[in-house]
Amino acid sequence: MSDFPTKARVVIIGGGVVGTSSLYHLGKKGWTDCVLLEKNELTAGSTWHAAGNVPTFSNSWAIMNMQRYSTELYAGLGEEVDYPMGYHQSGSIRLAHTKERKQEFERAMSMALYQGIPMEMWTPEEAKERYPFLETHDLEAVLYDPTDGDIDPAQLTQALAKGARDMGQKILRFCPATGVTQQSDKTWIVHTEKGDIACDYVVNAAGYYAQRVGEWFKPYGGRSVPMMVMSHQYLLTEEIPEVEEWSKANGGVKLPLLRDVDVSYYLRQEKHGYNLGPYEPNCKAHWETDADPMPDDFSFQLWSDDLDRIEDIVTDAMERVPLMATSGISRVINGPIPYAPDGLPLIGPMPGVENAFENCVFTFGIAQGGGAGKVLAEWIVDGHTEWDMWAVDPRRYTDYTDHDYCVKKGMEVYGNEYAMHFPQHEWPAARDKKLSPVHDRVVAAGGVMGVYNGWERANWFAKDGDDTSLAATHTWGRSGPWEQRVKEECEAVRDHCGVLDLPGFSRFALNGEGAAEWLRGMITGALPKVGRINLAYFSDERGRILTEMSVLRHADDGFILITAASAQWHDFELLKHNLAEGLELIDCTVDMSTLIVTGPKSRDVLSGLCDADLSLGWLTHQTATVVGARATLVRVSFAGELGWEIHAPFADMPAIYDAIREAGAMPFGMYALNSLRLEKGYRAWKGDLSSDYTLLEGGLGRFVKLDKPQNFPGKSAIQNEKQQGVKKSFVTLKVDAGDADAPYMSCIWNGDEIVGETTSGGWGYRVNASIALGMVKAELAAPGTELEVEIFGKKCRAEVQEDAPMWDPTNERLRA
């Protein structure tokens, strides 16, 4: 091929809507020398048989942002690239059968309003007026989204492809990629059946083939892509005269797209008939066993229909819209859709592999494709994204996502596609992937477990007679069988001593000559002295918060860095990809486990069990013998009381835990810890600490040393921001919250104006108040300012607190 490109800046593998959107958006950012490879024709994978719905609704701020952007892009794309597209923004209605579902809608509507999406809540009667064929007798409420609708997936993909080509990008159809080779300078050779292409970056946008493509990257540090493939069916009815008459009488518009989420289906006008798409609990995975292998090429293919699986949902839809029952089925589509274990796509740096990215495993690729291309292009070109996109970052998963896990979680997510994600609900599939060395003891003590980066931790401790069923967690409210127990756990930490088993703390050892100087150039603040510990913050070039680590210094150039469980791969790569030559960085997360022993009696509990000097002050660490085992004792407490973290090898933890319990410490769980840390104003990663905010906005100025000589990332941006003043400020709010506390991204109001958002919230049992941490306009951050926090549709009075912890503001108890 005389025109075959042998060089490119980026090679994208996969020609569906996501791949072409990635190519288009790279071009928009000025990178017009990129290549897309497609083994067949564009759209040959999940794109060609997709229903094409384009909702904005989500309970994830990041996903809503991405889907909102898609709708805005699609509305003008056809005209921009001069390619006709069938895009119908018909609006949609979501049906709420229960109070809890209405609360979910109200939360989503609040976030949508903040993003400029004009959603409305309708009564059932109002919905009937606008959708005359709808039965509404058993409904609580209806959510209307005027920006929702549907688009032709093939036309969308071709429009994005045309726009990319017009900017100079190349698309090679019928040109399968066959492998990759990474060069010594970390650039790539992508091998194809027609020749090799040298490039700086590779993107895996291979849809349901993403795991197979991902195998090529394993020799260069990669892992198996966490995904599986589901069989998804939707059916098309024959045309219905009444639908045609309604459309003609209303100027040719379509009926609003209907979603009965409590039953789990969508129903959309298709021409003058209906398109019904169910997400049935009785679902089916494909290509997950040796008896059902993935074919080398499934382009433009479908499976046979399996209507028995969806019979009950079809019947329910006919009762909801009886008009549907007057028509026969004209066609059934049954095709493959990829699923990640949480149902969200993988967008961002490929874990463990330099200069490789993922934009794959999209369950709702048409709705998210536009935003996904934008986010991916920002990752590659800028090194960061406009919005914090941890919700879809591939590094949110680590080494627990084996084949069994991915299949079980994918089926669970599919079967609960429209389920409400209540704050105390823990999904039961594929559990016990990572267990603490004292897991059996924690469970025997009544531990009701949750999952944190695959690790099982107790959320709360039940007593005999407490309801620990999943059904008991189906509430947005604070009240439940856990509430009294969490209160008791907090009081035990306040008045006596509690012990929390905390496996999975991410833990990295950094050593080598020059380690201290290198670390000073990475963090915004100072390093601790030998024998001490402090918090260190990492920012990006914009001065925004990347992560927080605890730094334990045990030698001039010897450190242990500890960070959140979920941050393990994210933070390790942040360090590894910038590591100076000659330094050694080791991930020793699985070598050690941690106990938090905290409360005013914690010194008494530990004094008879170890040879440590328990008089050493706050923010110190030491090596000691605890019931015969060598351990590190760190005098810190995320709970805000006198306390220590005990770090010890897995094998030694059972004896240590038993001795601490026998000495009188009461076990407490993650719910109590969250309550305790809120009272101290301590930030949580990827809630309060995210790249949506700068360090100065986050109230972390005391951890920034602009006078140090090291030119750490973001230094100039922070200097500039300090001179100009912050636009937002971090605040603690005391909220008159009623029976539910503020969830993440609740709107904060000043009169009729949205002036900020909560980043976390909950009840403080020591201060007996509902607390919200959040961001507001800087001029409203003064203590005593009265605002309102919107919690599930209800505006609740809130007052800005002093810039100090609500509990023990001078840290006397910590220093005791």
Side-chain angles (χ1 to χ4, degrees):
M1 293 177 63
S2 60
D3 60 345
F4 184 84
T6 57
K7 291 185 178 179
R9 190 173 288 189
V10 182
V11 171
I12 298 166
I13 301 171
V17 67
V18 173
T20 54
S21 178
S22 301
L23 190 69
Y24 169 86
H25 282 90
L26 284 166
K28 280 289 189 180
K29 292 188 73 67
W31 285 29
T32 56
D33 51 351
C34 305
V35 172
L36 182 147
L37 302 174
E38 167 53 45
K39 67 160 50 176
N40 197 282
E41 181 58 89
L42 296 182
T43 77
S46 294
T47 298
W48 82 273
H49 64 76
N53 299 329
V54 189
T56 61
F57 181 96
S58 178
N59 283 308
S60 162
W61 181 259
I63 295 295
M64 182 179 280
N65 251 327
M66 200 162 64
Q67 294 179 170
R68 172 190 53 78
Y69 174 85
S70 291
T71 65
E72 294 167 356
L73 172 71
Y74 300 166
L77 182 64
E79 183 177 352
E80 178 199 329
V81 304
D82 191 24
Y83 193 94
M85 289 197 307
Y87 182 31
H88 311 101
Q89 286 190 286
S90 58
S92 73
I93 55 175
R94 287 175 183 260
L95 311 183
H97 294 238
T98 64
K99 170 194 166 189
E100 288 76 18
R101 183 66 79 174
K102 183 184 178 185
Q103 288 178 292
E104 181 200 42
F105 287 175
E106 286 169 330
R107 166 163 161 70
M109 186 171 70
S110 175
M111 292 198 302
L113 182 61
Y114 201 170
Q115 291 195 17
I117 305 168
M119 291 185 184
E120 302 173 18
M121 194 72 75
W122 289 350
T123 65
E125 293 74 24
E126 288 172 324
K128 180 77 171 180
E129 291 174 9
R130 294 161 171 83
Y131 199 120
F133 312 122
L134 181 69
E135 292 295 317
T136 61
H137 59 281
D138 57 346
L139 299 180
E140 181 79 17
V142 175
L143 179 67
Y144 174 63
D145 178 2
T147 67
D148 204 338
D150 65 272
I151 196 167
D152 184 302
Q155 291 176 348
L156 170 61
T157 304
Q158 295 295 345
L160 290 165
K162 183 177 186 298
R165 288 190 183 105
D166 289 347
M167 289 183 278
Q169 310 282 51
K170 291 190 180 297
I171 296 175
L172 303 181
R173 299 171 300 134
F174 303 101
C175 184
T178 57
V180 296
T181 300
Q182 191 168 47
Q183 306 293 84
S184 59
D185 62 356
K186 303 302 181 182
T187 62
W188 295 93
I189 303 294
V190 178
H191 309 292
T192 81
E193 291 184 353
K194 298 180 180 179
D196 291 347
I197 306 175
C199 62
D200 297 325
Y201 303 96
V202 182
V203 178
N204 180 357
Y208 52 72
Y209 280 99
Q211 191 174 78
R212 184 169 290 183
V213 169
E215 296 299 302
W216 302 341
F217 295 88
K218 280 188 172 179
Y220 311 106
R223 87 300 183 216
S224 292
V225 175
M227 62 170 291
M228 52 84 70
V229 178
M230 289 300 302
S231 157
H232 176 60
Q233 299 183 96
Y234 64 89
L235 57 88
L236 304 175
T237 73
E238 296 170 347
E239 297 208 350
I240 302 171
E242 290 88 342
V243 173
E244 182 176 10
E245 290 171 11
W246 185 93
S247 287
K248 288 180 178 178
N250 287 274
V253 302
K254 299 170 74 171
L255 286 161
L257 196 157
L258 184 155
R259 290 184 180 86
D260 196 338
V261 289
D262 288 312
V263 180
S264 194
Y265 66 86
Y266 68 81
L267 186 66
R268 182 185 97 203
Q269 181 179 335
E270 185 74 23
K271 296 182 180 177
H272 294 132
Y274 278 114
N275 173 334
L276 172 66
Y279 291 91
E280 71 280 8
N282 181 30
C283 53
K284 180 176 177 57
H286 264 295
W287 304 335
E288 90 279 16
T289 67
D290 293 340
D292 180 26
M294 175 181 278
D296 289 335
D297 191 351
F298 200 69
S299 300
F300 297 110
Q301 295 184 55
L302 297 170
W303 294 301
S304 300
D305 58 19
D306 187 4
L307 293 178
D308 289 346
R309 283 190 357 230
I310 62 175
E311 182 179 359
D312 290 347
I313 292 179
V314 173
T315 300
D316 194 282
M318 290 178 174
E319 293 173 353
R320 181 63 57 194
V321 182
L323 192 62
M324 186 187 165
T326 66
S327 177
I329 297 173
S330 66
R331 190 181 181 196
V332 178
I333 309 294
N334 183 10
I337 296 183
Y339 265 75
D342 62 2
L344 302 182
L346 306 176
I347 313 174
M350 184 182 294
V353 186
E354 291 191 58
N355 299 331
F357 290 81
E358 292 175 338
N359 208 4
C360 53
V361 199
F362 281 80
T363 298
F364 299 100
I366 307 304
Q368 296 165 4
K374 165 187 157 64
V375 170
L376 189 278
E378 290 170 348
W379 261 125
I380 295 177
V381 177
D382 303 328
H384 52 70
T385 53
E386 177 185 355
W387 317 305
D388 189 289
M389 295 304 297
W390 179 245
V392 297
D393 193 311
R395 296 166 295 185
R396 69 189 188 271
Y397 297 114
T398 60
D399 57 354
Y400 59 93
T401 57
D402 57 19
H403 180 71
D404 170 77
Y405 179 88
C406 291
V407 171
K408 288 179 179 176
K409 294 304 286 187
M411 293 185 70
E412 180 179 62
V413 171
Y414 181 94
N416 295 277
E417 189 62 67
Y418 291 129
M420 289 175 276
H421 292 257
F422 297 109
Q424 281 85 18
H425 182 78
E426 293 283 341
W427 295 97
R431 296 294 295 270
D432 293 350
K433 289 297 179 181
K434 288 186 172 185
L435 301 180
S436 152
V438 298
H439 177 77
D440 57 339
R441 292 159 169 81
V442 171
V443 172
V448 181
M449 310 304 286
V451 185
Y452 300 82
N453 190 31
W455 292 94
E456 297 284 333
R457 294 177 180 172
N459 283 329
W460 61 286
F461 285 84
K463 295 184 177 179
D464 290 346
D466 288 344
D467 185 356
T468 59
S469 68
L470 291 178
T473 67
H474 292 178
T475 176
W476 301 108
R478 181 186 318 111
S479 180
W482 54 83
E483 185 180 21
Q484 179 61 26
R485 303 297 169 240
V486 174
K487 180 176 184 289
E488 292 165 358
E489 292 168 26
C490 290
E491 289 171 346
V493 172
R494 180 194 68 190
D495 299 335
H496 190 263
C497 178
V499 58
L500 172 65
D501 177 43
L502 200 67
F505 249 157
S506 301
R507 187 187 319 264
F508 316 126
L510 174 67
N511 296 285
E513 186 176 351
E517 184 60 24
W518 174 80
L519 196 52
R520 287 191 190 97
M522 287 290 295
I523 65 175
T524 62
L527 292 176
K529 296 177 180 179
V530 175
R532 296 191 66 83
I533 175 177
N534 69 3
L535 284 177
Y537 289 88
F538 295 72
S539 90
D540 65 16
E541 294 296 339
R542 301 169 295 177
R544 296 193 185 185
I545 304 164
L546 283 179
T547 196
E548 169 197 85
M549 298 188 198
S550 295
V551 180
L552 283 71
R553 191 172 189 177
H554 56 79
D556 286 345
D557 281 319
F559 302 88
I560 297 293
L561 307 175
I562 297 178
T563 184
S566 57
Q568 182 183 359
W569 282 9
H570 176 281
D571 284 8
F572 187 77
E573 289 196 356
L574 173 64
L575 299 168
K576 188 72 174 178
H577 287 176
N578 295 284
L579 196 65
E581 188 174 349
L583 300 186
E584 179 186 57
L585 180 72
I586 300 173
D587 185 337
C588 42
T589 300
V590 298
D591 299 332
M592 308 280 282
S593 193
T594 303
L595 300 177
I596 292 179
V597 182
T598 185
K601 303 296 185 183
S602 56
R603 183 179 280 120
D604 298 338
V605 167
L606 290 174
S607 62
L609 306 178
C610 67
D611 61 4
D613 181 357
L614 299 178
S615 68
L616 285 182
W618 186 40
L619 302 179
T620 61
H621 63 89
Q622 60 185 300
T623 300
T625 300
V626 184
V627 291
R630 298 298 285 173
T632 299
L633 269 67
V634 186
R635 190 164 165 200
V636 293
S637 174
F638 201 50
E641 300 284 353
L642 171 69
W644 285 262
E645 292 176 0
I646 301 177
H647 302 266
F650 263 55
D652 296 324
M653 269 304 184
I656 296 173
Y657 185 77
D658 288 347
I660 290 170
R661 287 293 316 278
E662 289 168 7
M666 175 179 174
F668 68 101
M670 298 299 291
Y671 291 171
L673 183 65
N674 187 59
S675 170
L676 297 163
R677 69 96 186 169
L678 283 168
E679 293 172 312
K680 294 295 292 181
Y682 294 159
R683 280 69 154 170
W685 192 64
K686 287 306 179 190
D688 315 300
L689 301 172
S690 87
S691 61
D692 282 331
Y693 309 116
T694 68
L695 271 86
L696 297 186
E697 288 175 337
L700 302 171
R702 66 189 183 280
F703 297 100
V704 177
K705 288 181 64 67
L706 292 173
D707 58 349
K708 70 178 185 177
Q710 292 82 13
N711 189 30
F712 58 85
K715 185 175 185 178
S716 61
I718 294 173
Q719 285 175 323
N720 186 54
E721 184 183 19
K722 189 170 185 179
Q723 291 170 355
Q724 295 187 6
V726 296
K727 296 178 181 179
K728 282 185 170 183
S729 289
F730 183 88
V731 293
T732 299
L733 298 167
K734 184 177 179 181
V735 188
D736 297 341
D739 60 1
D741 301 306
Y744 174 67
M745 282 296 172
S746 298
C747 288
I748 300 174
W749 293 80
N750 182 30
D752 294 329
E753 181 189 8
I754 297 176
V755 294
E757 66 277 356
T758 63
T759 53
S760 58
W763 188 266
Y765 290 94
R766 290 177 298 194
V767 300
N768 197 34
S770 182
I771 303 167
L773 307 183
M775 292 285 181
V776 299
K777 289 184 176 182
E779 61 269 24
L780 298 172
T785 302
E786 290 195 11
L787 301 169
E788 291 179 301
V789 174
E790 184 174 351
I791 302 177
F792 301 113
K794 179 183 177 183
K795 290 183 180 179
C796 303
R797 179 187 172 277
E799 182 177 321
V800 177
Q801 302 297 292
E802 295 287 342
D803 186 17
M806 290 180 67
W807 175 254
D808 187 25
T810 59
N811 291 329
E812 291 180 12
R813 297 170 70 91
L814 275 170
R815 300 175 188 273

